[in-house]
Amino acid sequence: MTDIAWIDIALTNARPQVMGALLRYFRNLDTAEEAFQEACLRALKTWPDKGPPRDPIAWLIFVGRNSGIDTVRKQAKLQSLPDEEAISDTSDAESDLAERLDGSGYRDDILRLLFICCHPDLPATQQIALALRIVSGLSVQQIARAFLVSESAMEQRITRAKARVAAAGVPFETPGAVERSERLALVSAMIYLIYNEGYSAGGTHREAAAFADEAIRLGRLLLRLFPSEPETMALLALMLLQQSRKAARFDANGQIILLEDQDRSLWDRTSIDEALALLDKAIRHRRPGPYQVQAAIAALHSRAKRAEDTDWEEIDLLYQMLERLTPSPVVTLNRSVALSKLKGPEAALALIATLEAQLDSYFYFHGVRGGLLAQLGRSQEARVAFDRAIALARSPAEAAHIRYQLDRLSADALAAAK
C-alpha cells in the first residue's frame, strides 16, 4: 500500500477533488495548482515511510491549504491577504475535512473546477489544454506533444487560458440548480471534445490517442458526481461504445478501417456491455437528450453481429430525432450515411446538397461526398471531393484513407478501359 505506484494512482485520482477545494479557498488557479503540487511533494516524502493517511483527499486538501496560506502570507508585503473566509476554514482539523468530503460542497468544488476549464470565453483548444493540465494533471510537455506544438507554445496557450478565466471573474459561490444544470451541459461538451481529440488521433498518435481514455475517466468522475443524470450516463456510454472498437479501427500499417469492414471479434465486449447497461438505465428516466440518441445509434452498431445486420432504418429515425434536438449540418451529414444504406447514394447526395457552404472546411463532408459520388460512377467529381478532403485531413491516417479511395477509383477506371 505504500509503494510509489500506488501513491501516483492515489494522487491522480485525488487531483480533481483536491484542486477544486483549493481553488475555492484561494480563488486563483496558479495558487491552487502550486498548493496541490506542494501537497503531492509532501505526500511522496512522507507516505512511503508513514503509510497512507486515513483519507488521502482530506490530507492533501489540509496540507495544500496550509502550504498555500504560507505562500500567500510570505507575499503579504507586496499584496494584501484575501478575506479570511476566502483562504481559510474555521477548523484546521484534518478529520473535520474528511467528514465533509461527501457533502454537496465538494461535489460543487469539482464541478466548479471543470466548469472553469470549459469557460465559454475560451476557444475549444484552450478548454481542452486547460482541463488536461488542471484537472487531469498532464504535464505541459505531454499536452504539447499531443497537439504537435512546442512546449513553449503550449505553455503560452495555457497561460492565456488562465488569464482569460481570471479576467472573466468566474463566480466561486455554490451554483443553484439551474446554473448547475447549465454547467453540467458545458462540462459534458468539454469532456466529449477531449474524447474526440483522442478518437480522431486513433492509432497514429499515441500521446493524443490517450486523451480518449482520459475523457472516459473524467466521464466516470462526472457520473459519480451526478449518478441520476441520464445524459451523463449516456455520455459515458457513448464514449465506451466508440472506444470499444479501438482495436479494430486501424490495420497494422495505421490505415483506417471503416466500421462496416472491421473485425467485430476485436471489439471490447466488456465495455459494450457496460455501455448498454448505462444506456438502458438512462432511457428509463424518460428524459431524452442528444447524448442518449447518439449512444443509441452507437449501440445499434454494437448490437449488430455483422455489418449487414445493422438496423439502418432505426438509425435514420434516431438521426432525425437528433436533428430535432440539436439541429446541425454535421448531424445531417451523418444521417446521410444511413440514408445511403436505405435509399441509395443519390438520396444521400440530395440530403447534403445544401450543406457545402457550411461544411466546406470539414474533412468528413468531402470524404462522404466523394464516396457517394464514387458509388454513382461520377469519378471525376469524386476525385475533386477526395482531393479537398486530403487537403483538410487532420492526421496521416485520414489522408491515407482518402488516398486509398482515390487509388480504388483509378483501379476501377483502368479495369473499365480494358
Side-chain angles (χ1 to χ4, degrees), residues 153-230:
M154 182 53 66
E155 184 71 61
Q156 290 175 359
R157 186 179 297 182
I158 293 172
T159 299
R160 285 196 298 269
K162 288 179 179 178
R164 285 195 181 192
V165 167
V170 178
F172 285 81
E173 290 68 29
T174 300
V178 174
E179 186 182 3
R180 186 182 286 117
S181 177
E182 292 173 349
R183 290 185 178 194
L184 184 57
L186 286 169
V187 168
S188 297
M190 182 267 291
I191 291 174
Y192 199 41
L193 275 175
I194 294 175
Y195 179 80
N196 281 324
E197 195 70 32
Y199 184 83
S200 297
T204 60
H205 188 358
R206 189 177 61 184
E207 286 86 358
F211 288 0
D213 292 327
E214 182 57 29
I216 289 172
R217 191 179 77 85
L218 293 176
R220 293 190 187 281
L221 171 64
L222 199 62
L223 186 58
R224 286 201 299 272
L225 296 177
F226 299 96
S228 61
E229 283 292 334

Side-chain angles (χ1 to χ4, degrees), residues 46 49 62-64 82 108 114 151 190 236 241 312 327 333 336 395:
T46 60
D49 294 332
F62 179 74
V63 172
D108 290 330
L114 291 166
E151 192 171 339
M190 182 267 291
L236 180 56
L241 287 168
W312 288 109
L333 176 66
S336 72
S395 71

Side-chain angles (χ1 to χ4, degrees), residues 103-342:
S104 62
Y106 284 88
R107 182 181 73 167
D108 290 330
D109 281 343
I110 300 176
L111 182 59
R112 183 184 297 111
L113 180 66
L114 291 166
F115 177 67
I116 282 173
C117 293
C118 62
H119 194 277
D121 284 354
L122 301 178
T125 53
Q126 289 187 13
Q127 290 182 19
I128 294 171
L130 192 61
L132 291 171
R133 179 73 195 102
I134 299 299
V135 184
S136 303
L138 272 65
S139 69
V140 174
Q141 183 184 50
Q142 288 174 301
I143 303 170
R145 282 204 305 264
F147 279 96
L148 302 177
V149 299
S150 68
E151 192 171 339
S152 60
M154 182 53 66
E155 184 71 61
Q156 290 175 359
R157 186 179 297 182
I158 293 172
T159 299
R160 285 196 298 269
K162 288 179 179 178
R164 285 195 181 192
V165 167
V170 178
F172 285 81
E173 290 68 29
T174 300
V178 174
E179 186 182 3
R180 186 182 286 117
S181 177
E182 292 173 349
R183 290 185 178 194
L184 184 57
L186 286 169
V187 168
S188 297
M190 182 267 291
I191 291 174
Y192 199 41
L193 275 175
I194 294 175
Y195 179 80
N196 281 324
E197 195 70 32
Y199 184 83
S200 297
T204 60
H205 188 358
R206 189 177 61 184
E207 286 86 358
F211 288 0
D213 292 327
E214 182 57 29
I216 289 172
R217 191 179 77 85
L218 293 176
R220 293 190 187 281
L221 171 64
L222 199 62
L223 186 58
R224 286 201 299 272
L225 296 177
F226 299 96
S228 61
E229 283 292 334
E231 278 293 84
T232 305
M233 299 174 205
L235 170 63
L236 180 56
L238 174 61
M239 293 189 293
L240 287 170
L241 287 168
Q242 291 176 335
Q243 197 68 354
S244 72
R245 303 194 290 266
K246 178 181 177 181
R249 290 184 60 226
F250 297 88
D251 65 17
N253 298 316
Q255 301 291 323
I256 293 173
I257 302 175
L258 294 178
L259 179 61
E260 60 191 28
D261 298 323
Q262 289 175 12
D263 179 355
R264 299 186 178 216
S265 69
L266 297 176
W267 290 1
D268 183 353
R269 299 308 310 183
T270 301
S271 293
I272 291 172
D273 291 342
E274 180 186 358
L276 294 179
L278 280 168
L279 178 59
D280 288 343
K281 185 177 179 181
I283 291 172
R284 285 198 296 272
H285 283 74
R286 297 185 181 280
R287 287 159 48 197
Y291 291 118
Q292 292 174 67
V293 177
Q294 291 177 77
I297 292 169
L300 285 170
H301 287 297
S302 297
R303 287 187 168 110
K305 293 182 179 180
R306 303 173 303 165
E308 53 266 35
D309 297 332
T310 305
D311 189 345
W312 288 109
E313 187 172 355
E314 183 65 23
I315 289 174
D316 182 51
L317 290 172
L318 286 168
Y319 271 124
Q320 290 181 53
M321 180 186 294
L322 193 58
E323 283 180 316
R324 292 192 295 271
L325 287 171
T326 54
S328 160
V330 174
V331 173
T332 302
L333 176 66
N334 290 334
R335 185 192 159 207
S336 72
V337 176
L339 192 63
S340 72
K341 302 293 185 181
L342 290 172

